[in-house]
Amino acid sequence: MEPRPGREEEPALTRAREPAPTAAPEGRGERSSRTEKDGGESPGGDGARDDFERPRVRGGEGARTPKKTVRFREASAEEPLAERAGEETSLFPDCALQEWSGVAFDELFQKEDWQRLTDERLLCKKVLEPAAPGAPRPVWGQQATVKMQAVLEDRTVVEKDRKLLFTIGEGDVSRALEEGVVSMRRGETALLLAHSRYAYGPAGREPDVPAGAPLLYQLQLLDVSDKADPLNLPLSDRIRAGNRKRERGNFYFQREEYGEAARAYRMALDVLTTCGGDAGEEDEREVRHYRVKCLNNLAAALLKLERRQEALLASRDALAIEPDNVKALYRAGKILSDDGDYGEAARLLKKALKLEPGARAIHAELSKLVKRRSGGEAARHGKAKAAEMSGDDVAPFSLPSKATWPISWKLMAGALLVALGGLLASLILPARN
């Protein structure tokens, strides 16, 4: 059972709910201890918690922190929806609409004056203020800047951002925002009603979005631009961007969306690189440090997808950067042991155990490997001894050849019965005559 990356650093899908600045890696020069301890079963990379890791220190790297979501006081059941929505200043004070403050979502989904963005009517849009004629419309792969806020059906605000920048199609935000933005033009303001399938799905988003909850967005498309080549950015910006991608991968891993998690980790690896001679020795160490985190998490996601060889390659890439990385040693050794490469698996697991002598997961995997190896040797020894005792020249690992019994005993018994029947007939018929 693989661990779940992301428990200690829960990334956000939008800037409106990113963790507050803590020791989680956002800037440069930060380092984490090689391993920490938890009750999981095996290493899972930066976002995982392993059962041979040391206890986390409150406030250290990966310490769990509340999201920066906008949460208001709990509304009582007697309060009108309009009063609940108006408790705090809205980002759109000139758009105090009935749809925003007092209409049930089921009713809004059925309204004919809302544009369907999907055939199944799970994502609908209503234009509040149209864009100027000829205003550009964003396309997939471009960057969009929006002002947005989102509410649940009881009008509790769960997201709010005055200037949210994201790349369309990279999973930076919910599918509702991506699909909604590509249907808009710069300067347009609209309402966007999203089924949970386009928001946070059946799992929701702890602690503010319940499972299966639809969301109502109010958003304005502020700007559209082409995405800059990340390799042309300063190294500090590349590290921050790469870590945001990695944290997003942790978020998806927690939700068991392993394909999206692997995609995010690969995007992080594309950004976390040094090029053009713009990195000093310290910068190189920092980039390598974060690349190892991404590779470990990528291997964990690929194992969940049952892409074992790709996971093994990711672990080997991590070991090429950091030969003493316990997580990569453990995962590579486990994969090789499962595949029957006991010699290389034992070497990697023993090295990992030497680095982490108290690691229960490594002890368990080594015990399993010894049993597998001893079981195979016992089987080989038993077959060879049986062949020797029978006097047959049979190679070890081989079963006795069926060629030593060319005629089946059933066939011989049948032939004997036929012969006896013929004999009796030859005696009885002459006696009658």
Side-chain angles (χ1 to χ4, degrees):
M1 176 174 154
E2 280 297 319
R4 298 173 57 124
R7 287 185 62 191
E8 81 281 20
E9 348 175 358
E10 186 165 322
L13 279 183
T14 66
R15 189 195 316 159
R17 56 186 183 282
E18 284 180 358
T22 67
E26 274 294 325
R28 306 172 59 185
E30 297 173 272
R31 290 292 182 272
S32 63
S33 61
R34 181 175 56 213
T35 54
E36 300 91 11
K37 184 172 183 178
D38 185 65
E41 291 192 8
S42 60
D46 153 65
R49 303 180 67 173
D50 313 330
D51 90 344
F52 58 83
E53 297 186 329
R54 290 184 289 276
R56 294 192 178 281
V57 179
R58 181 177 297 274
E61 180 184 358
R64 195 161 195 161
T65 56
K67 303 183 187 71
K68 286 175 59 180
T69 48
V70 179
R71 299 303 307 278
F72 299 141
R73 66 180 175 85
E74 295 295 332
S76 66
E78 292 78 15
E79 288 181 297
L81 293 177
E83 293 182 13
R84 300 182 205 174
E87 289 177 4
E88 295 288 336
T89 303
S90 170
L91 294 183
F92 300 87
D94 298 332
C95 298
L97 302 175
Q98 182 183 9
E99 292 94 335
W100 181 252
S101 59
V103 181
F105 283 3
D106 286 343
E107 183 179 342
L108 292 180
F109 273 117
Q110 301 303 320
K111 283 185 172 293
E112 295 298 329
D113 58 341
W114 285 60
Q115 176 188 353
R116 299 183 186 181
L117 299 185
T118 60
D119 294 336
E120 68 272 35
R121 196 189 275 272
L122 297 181
L123 187 63
C124 304
K125 185 184 82 168
K126 180 177 181 178
V127 177
L128 302 180
E129 295 179 3
R137 186 191 300 274
V139 297
W140 295 92
Q142 285 189 308
Q143 287 187 325
T145 305
V146 300
K147 179 170 67 171
M148 59 79 67
Q149 58 188 12
V151 296
L152 301 172
E153 191 161 14
D154 66 356
R155 271 46 180 193
T156 299
V157 178
V158 292
E159 295 180 1
K160 180 184 284 188
D161 201 307
R162 294 183 178 276
K163 197 172 183 181
L164 172 64
L165 174 66
F166 61 93
T167 302
I168 305 170
E170 290 193 359
D172 292 339
V173 295
S174 65
R175 288 180 61 194
L177 281 178
E178 290 188 331
E179 297 281 356
V181 162
V182 295
S183 72
M184 302 174 69
R185 294 184 181 275
R186 187 172 63 193
E188 179 181 324
T189 303
L191 290 178
L192 190 66
L193 182 60
H195 186 274
S196 63
R197 186 184 303 177
Y198 288 87
Y200 293 97
R205 186 193 69 195
E206 293 183 357
D208 50 357
V209 180
L215 292 179
L216 178 62
Y217 292 89
Q218 194 168 9
L219 68 155
Q220 180 183 17
L221 180 56
L222 301 177
D223 196 12
V224 180
S225 61
D226 292 329
K227 178 184 176 181
D229 185 352
L231 298 183
N232 292 332
L233 297 174
L235 183 60
S236 59
D237 292 343
R238 292 206 302 275
I239 291 174
R240 281 193 292 270
N243 279 325
R244 283 196 294 269
K245 301 287 185 186
R246 174 174 55 82
E247 290 167 357
R248 189 186 324 133
N250 293 349
F251 175 85
Y252 283 123
F253 196 106
Q254 278 192 300
R255 299 170 61 85
E256 299 182 0
E257 299 177 30
Y258 303 119
E260 289 296 324
R263 179 170 172 259
Y265 295 139
R266 290 190 189 278
M267 286 191 291
L269 288 167
D270 289 340
V271 176
L272 289 169
T273 181
T274 55
C275 61
D278 61 342
E281 184 177 347
E282 179 65 22
D283 295 326
E284 289 279 0
R285 282 198 300 269
E286 186 171 11
V287 170
R288 288 196 300 268
H289 171 73
Y290 289 126
R291 283 189 67 84
V292 169
K293 287 176 175 284
C294 288
L295 288 166
N296 278 329
N297 287 359
L298 175 61
L302 291 170
L303 279 176
K304 289 292 186 180
L305 295 170
E306 297 184 359
R307 290 153 61 176
R308 300 173 55 81
Q309 293 307 309
E310 292 180 64
L312 179 59
L313 288 175
S315 297
R316 290 191 183 280
D317 287 344
L319 291 173
I321 300 173
E322 190 177 321
D324 290 342
N325 185 273
V326 178
K327 296 174 183 179
L329 287 167
Y330 170 85
R331 187 171 290 109
K334 187 177 188 304
I335 295 172
L336 291 169
S337 177
D338 292 342
D339 291 344
D341 190 349
Y342 300 135
E344 179 66 8
R347 184 185 71 81
L348 295 176
L349 292 172
K350 287 178 180 178
K351 183 176 181 180
L353 188 62
K354 184 177 180 181
L355 294 167
E356 292 286 348
R360 293 172 294 170
I362 303 177
H363 278 288
E365 194 59 39
L366 273 171
S367 298
K368 190 188 302 183
L369 186 151
V370 170
K371 289 179 182 178
R372 287 171 175 170
R373 177 182 277 176
S374 62
E377 290 176 352
R380 290 195 297 270
H381 178 72
K383 290 171 185 176
K385 185 175 181 180
E388 180 182 352
M389 291 177 64
S390 64
D392 298 327
D393 185 14
V394 181
F397 301 99
S398 300
L399 293 174
S401 173
K402 293 183 179 180
T404 59
W405 295 90
I407 302 176
S408 170
W409 67 271
K410 293 182 179 180
L411 182 60
M412 295 175 64
L416 181 59
L417 289 175
V418 171
L420 289 175
L423 179 60
L424 290 175
S426 65
L427 294 176
I428 292 171
L429 288 178
R432 286 185 178 181
N433 293 333

